[in-house]
């Protein structure tokens, strides 16, 4: 990664399939590095937002904005910054690509972790207090295990999102400069430009193999391991088979690997019980709070955050107004409303399809065992791979791009709904289901009183991130190219894509700022009230 490189230097990408294992390895390394940083970000900011009301008022709106910033916007900022940080080295573009993959993974995981940490049952918190656990110990002994099933499914969805944007992160086109990093994304980009269907097929096969390996060696063992963290009483649902993994069975049956697991467990215990984080940190469950001092602290915090936000908005508005006419700002606003309408319709349609399917899969581990890798593979397919078929169909039959390009927006983000609903359904306590069975609650009444309320907090998390992903995907979905053919829909994504290719920063800033503003408005008016409703009405106490 740290080989010499200068801007303008051409890195050859061969369409020979023999290079695909090497390209796949480079892409996998980037995604794993990004995943580690995403987990670190999730643990820090998800916990901070869940534990502190003041931090929550700042972090949650920031996450709303950050998840709505298109990846091309991050690229525009990350490329110059990392190239300046590592001059004359390929490490700069590599770090920029990893950063962009990180931005496609971290927000969803943080939202999911924040939601589950906030819904830790009171009796579990009381137990932690009785054992005098410090904040550090509570995090590793209570918060992380309780959040593990949901966090795991969100991590899988985030990995799929990373695959979805792998083309844009490895084939970087910004400020009229093209940088191709060795990887599957660049391979697909070159194949699309060359209109080479054979190369596209090779890339599809390579991605399929990589995702299967991921599933078997990483996610399947983690799903089986997370079974022990589900909230249910011992003895409930003994008729339900547990998740299995041949990797975990190998660890259990091989003495050397079993000893390795024991050593790892001991190291983890030492990590959790580090003396510096465990002495004198045990806090009372309901600490005494001086209401008057707390009132002034809240006022000061709100005033500071409002002032910082107002200054940032003023600088952005001043820069845009100095470089762009007012009528274009109004035009971009209308383009944003058109894209918003598409996102709204797509979320409704996806919810109608994936909520019942997710509940059905989540309640059947034997189905989940096969459905999980299939959903991951479908979720990981970059929308670019569908460009040949969509473009040829639109051109051949003279179809309207405003309608027929729209499904591309949701291809990569609809899975957030499915994965979160599966996570919610799989964590429904078995004893509650048994009570419903004993009372003969079935049919629509069972869905209305138990299943839908049970998965609702997870659905809201999935819908928020799916909507954010659809906004983000509009940039690569509202403009589709295949060889010399190009079709374009009317919308904010096409506007940002157009000016990103031209490298006109003022127009890019206007498009990204408008997208952030619209997403923030929708989240405040629609998703946040639903989030609060889910937390107050449907949390397990």
């Amino acid at each position: 990664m740290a080989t010499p490189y200068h801007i303008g230097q051409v890195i050859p990408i061969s369409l020979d399939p023999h290079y695909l294992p090497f390209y796949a390895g480079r892409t996998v390394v980037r995604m794993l590095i990004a995943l580690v940083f995403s987990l670190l970000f999730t643990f820090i900011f998800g916990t901070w937002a869940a534990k502190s009301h003041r931090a929550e008022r700042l972090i949650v709106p920031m996450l709303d904005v950050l998840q709505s910033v298109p990846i091309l916007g991050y690229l525009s900022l990350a490329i110059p910054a990392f190239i300046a940080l590592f001059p004359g080295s390929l490490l700069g573009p590599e770090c920029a690509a990893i950063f962009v993959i990180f931005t496609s993974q971290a927000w969803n995981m943080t939202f999911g972790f924040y939601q589950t940490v906030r819904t830790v049952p009171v009796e579990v918190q009381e137990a932690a207090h009785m054992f005098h656990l410090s904040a550090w110990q509570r995090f590793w002994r209570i918060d992380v295990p309780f959040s593990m099933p949901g966090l795991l499914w969100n991590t899988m969805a985030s990995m799929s999102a990373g695959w979805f944007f792998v083309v844009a992160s490895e084939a970087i086109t910004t400020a009229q400069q093209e940088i191709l990093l060795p990887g599957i994304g660049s391979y697909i980009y070159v194949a699309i430009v060359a209109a080479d269907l054979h190369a596209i097929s090779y890339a599809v096969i390579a991605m399929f193999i990589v995702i299967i390996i991921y599933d078997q060696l990483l996610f399947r063992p983690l799903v089986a391991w997370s079974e022990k963290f589900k909230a249910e009483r011992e003895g409930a649902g003994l008729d339900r088979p547990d998740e299995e993994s041949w990797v975990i069975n190998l660890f259990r049956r091989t003495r050397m690997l079993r000893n390795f697991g024991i050593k790892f467990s001991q190291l983890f215990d030492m990590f959790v019980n580090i003396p510096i984080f465990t002495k004198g940190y045990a806090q009372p469950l309901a600490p005494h709070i001086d209401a008057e001092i707390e009132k002034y602290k809240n006022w000061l915090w709100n005033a500071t955050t409002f002032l910082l936000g107002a200054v940032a908005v003023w600088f952005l508005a001043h820069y845009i107004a100095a470089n762009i006419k007012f009528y274009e700002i109004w035009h971009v606003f209308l383009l944003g409303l058109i894209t918003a309408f598409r996102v709204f319709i797509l979320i409704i349609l996806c919810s109608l399809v994936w909520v019942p399917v997710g509940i059905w899969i989540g309640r059947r581990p034997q189905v989940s065992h096969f459905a999980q890798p299939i959903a991951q593979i479908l979720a990981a397919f970059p929308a670019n791979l569908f460009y040949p078929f969509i473009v040829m169909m639109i051109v051949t039959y003279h179809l309207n791009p405003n309608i027929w390009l729209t499904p591309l927006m949701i291809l990569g983000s609809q899975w957030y709904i499915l994965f979160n609903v599966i996570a919610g359904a799989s964590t429904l306590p078995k004893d509650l289901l048994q009570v419903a069975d004993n009372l003969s609650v079935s049919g629509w009444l069972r869905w209305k009183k138990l299943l839908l309320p049970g998965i609702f907090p997870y659905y809201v998390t999935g819908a928020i991130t799916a909507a954010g992903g659809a906004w983000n995907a509009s940039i690569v979905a509202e403009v589709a190219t295949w060889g010399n053919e190009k079709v374009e829909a009317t919308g904010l994504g096409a506007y940002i894509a157009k000016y990103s290719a031209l490298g006109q920063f003022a127009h890019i800033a206007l498009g990204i700022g408008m997208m952030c503003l619209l997403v923030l408005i929708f989240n405040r008016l629609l998703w946040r009230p639903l989030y609060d409703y889910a937390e107050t009405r449907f949390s397990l106490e």
Side-chain angles (χ1 to χ4, degrees):
M1 287 186 176
T3 54
Y5 175 79
H6 298 282
I7 294 297
Q9 180 182 339
V10 177
I11 300 176
I13 301 295
S14 173
L15 293 182
D16 187 335
H18 291 96
Y19 287 91
L20 269 173
F22 170 70
Y23 291 155
R26 294 286 292 265
T27 300
V28 166
V29 169
R30 290 187 194 106
M31 296 190 72
L32 285 177
I33 294 173
L35 184 63
V36 170
F37 281 102
S38 297
L39 270 176
L40 193 61
F41 182 92
T42 296
F43 284 159
I44 294 173
F45 290 95
T47 306
W48 194 10
K51 300 290 184 182
S52 166
H53 289 299
R54 292 195 195 98
E56 180 188 24
R57 286 198 289 271
L58 179 63
I59 292 173
V60 173
M62 282 184 63
L63 288 175
D64 286 342
V65 173
L66 289 171
Q67 75 162 345
S68 62
V69 175
I71 57 169
L72 290 179
Y74 288 116
L75 270 177
S76 303
L77 298 175
I79 282 290
F82 282 110
I83 286 178
L85 192 61
F86 303 103
S89 171
L90 192 61
L91 196 57
E94 289 280 6
C95 289
I98 291 170
F99 178 74
V100 170
I101 296 172
F102 162 83
T103 61
S104 67
Q105 296 177 341
W107 323 135
N108 168 57
M109 293 166 60
T110 308
F111 264 126
F113 190 71
Y114 157 77
Q115 177 250 320
T116 48
V117 169
R118 287 197 55 163
T119 54
V120 172
V122 172
E123 59 266 28
V124 177
Q125 299 181 37
E126 290 174 346
H129 176 66
M130 289 173 60
F131 286 108
H132 300 286
L133 299 184
S134 67
W136 174 260
Q137 290 171 316
R138 282 202 305 273
F139 174 76
W140 290 110
R141 297 296 187 197
I142 303 293
D143 296 337
V144 173
F146 184 79
S147 307
M148 188 54 66
L151 177 62
L152 188 54
W153 282 97
N154 272 303
T155 303
M156 285 188 270
S158 294
M159 283 293 288
S160 300
W163 279 107
F164 185 80
F165 287 113
V166 76
V167 176
S169 61
E170 292 181 350
I172 303 168
T173 304
T174 180
Q176 298 181 324
Q177 293 287 340
E178 187 177 77
I179 305 171
L180 298 180
L181 299 172
I184 288 186
S186 294
Y187 185 92
I188 293 171
Y189 173 79
V190 173
I192 290 173
V193 171
D196 190 335
L197 271 177
H198 292 291
I200 291 284
S201 304
Y202 296 140
V204 170
I205 294 170
M207 288 183 64
F208 177 82
I209 294 172
V210 170
I211 293 169
I212 290 294
I213 293 173
Y214 252 118
D215 174 71
Q216 291 298 311
L217 295 185
L218 181 63
F219 288 126
R220 178 57 47 192
L222 288 175
V223 167
W225 173 69
S226 69
E227 283 283 307
K228 62 181 181 180
F229 299 125
K230 290 181 178 176
E232 55 204 12
R233 294 189 177 90
E234 188 177 355
L238 291 177
D239 57 330
R240 195 180 119 184
D242 290 333
E243 293 279 357
E244 286 194 357
S245 161
W246 63 267
V247 174
I248 286 193
N249 291 337
L250 186 67
F251 267 81
R252 286 172 179 162
R253 295 169 185 172
T254 307
R255 180 179 299 175
M256 185 181 73
L257 294 177
R258 194 166 58 243
N259 291 335
F260 174 78
I262 293 172
K263 292 292 182 188
F264 180 80
S265 177
Q266 291 172 345
L267 284 175
F268 180 74
D269 286 338
M270 291 169 62
F271 175 70
V272 173
N273 297 314
I274 294 175
I276 192 172
F277 292 123
T278 57
K279 288 184 179 178
Y281 283 87
Q283 300 292 327
L285 196 61
H288 171 71
I289 296 175
D290 189 318
E292 195 65 23
I293 294 176
E294 197 67 16
K295 177 182 173 184
Y296 283 114
K297 283 182 179 178
N298 286 334
W299 183 87
L300 183 62
W301 176 264
N302 292 336
T304 304
T305 52
F306 176 79
L307 187 62
L308 290 174
V311 169
V313 170
W314 185 86
F315 270 109
L316 179 62
H318 181 72
Y319 175 76
I320 291 173
N323 292 278
I324 296 177
K325 304 290 185 187
F326 175 77
Y327 73 88
E328 184 169 346
I329 298 175
W330 174 249
H331 173 66
V332 172
F333 175 71
L334 295 179
L335 292 178
L337 290 184
I338 293 171
T339 301
F341 179 73
R342 288 198 183 102
V343 171
F344 186 69
I345 295 297
L346 289 172
I347 292 297
I348 292 176
L349 293 176
C350 289
S351 301
L352 292 175
V353 173
W354 293 123
V355 167
V357 172
I359 292 175
W360 187 77
I361 294 174
R363 297 311 310 150
R364 293 165 178 80
Q366 65 275 26
V367 176
S368 172
H369 187 80
F370 296 102
Q372 175 200 325
I374 295 173
Q376 272 188 264
I377 292 168
L378 293 174
F381 264 46
N384 314 56
L385 294 179
F386 294 92
Y387 284 4
F389 312 103
I390 298 292
V391 172
M392 284 190 286
M393 187 178 70
I394 291 174
V395 171
T396 304
Y397 297 103
H398 305 289
L399 301 174
N400 186 347
N402 289 311
I403 297 174
W404 293 96
L405 284 181
T406 300
L408 294 177
M409 289 172 57
I410 204 67
L411 283 179
S413 52
Q414 61 181 328
W415 310 106
Y416 288 128
I417 296 176
L418 175 63
F419 280 55
N420 274 280
V421 172
I422 291 175
S426 64
T427 54
L428 283 173
K430 295 171 187 172
D431 42 4
L432 275 182
L433 294 166
Q434 285 183 336
V435 169
D437 290 337
N438 293 335
L439 296 176
S440 301
V441 178
S442 60
W444 171 240
L445 186 62
R446 185 184 181 91
W447 281 76
K448 182 181 175 183
K449 296 294 184 184
L450 178 60
L451 299 179
L452 291 178
I455 60 95
F456 192 69
Y458 292 86
Y459 164 73
V460 174
T461 301
I464 291 175
T465 47
W471 276 98
N472 215 322
S474 68
I475 296 172
V476 294
E478 289 184 345
V479 180
T481 58
W482 175 246
N484 296 322
E485 297 286 354
K486 180 179 180 180
V487 291
E488 183 175 329
T490 302
L492 188 53
Y495 177 89
I496 296 173
K498 173 185 173 184
Y499 286 103
S500 294
L502 295 174
Q504 296 185 9
F505 192 76
H507 295 272
I508 299 172
L510 172 61
I512 292 174
M514 189 63 72
M515 189 173 282
C516 293
L517 177 66
L518 290 170
V519 172
L520 204 56
I521 290 173
F522 273 97
N523 284 357
R524 291 291 103 183
L525 296 181
L526 177 63
W527 297 120
R528 190 52 49 192
L530 283 177
Y531 215 100
D532 295 336
Y533 182 73
E535 184 180 296
T536 54
R537 288 274 300 176
F538 303 126
S539 295
L540 289 172
E541 297 287 353

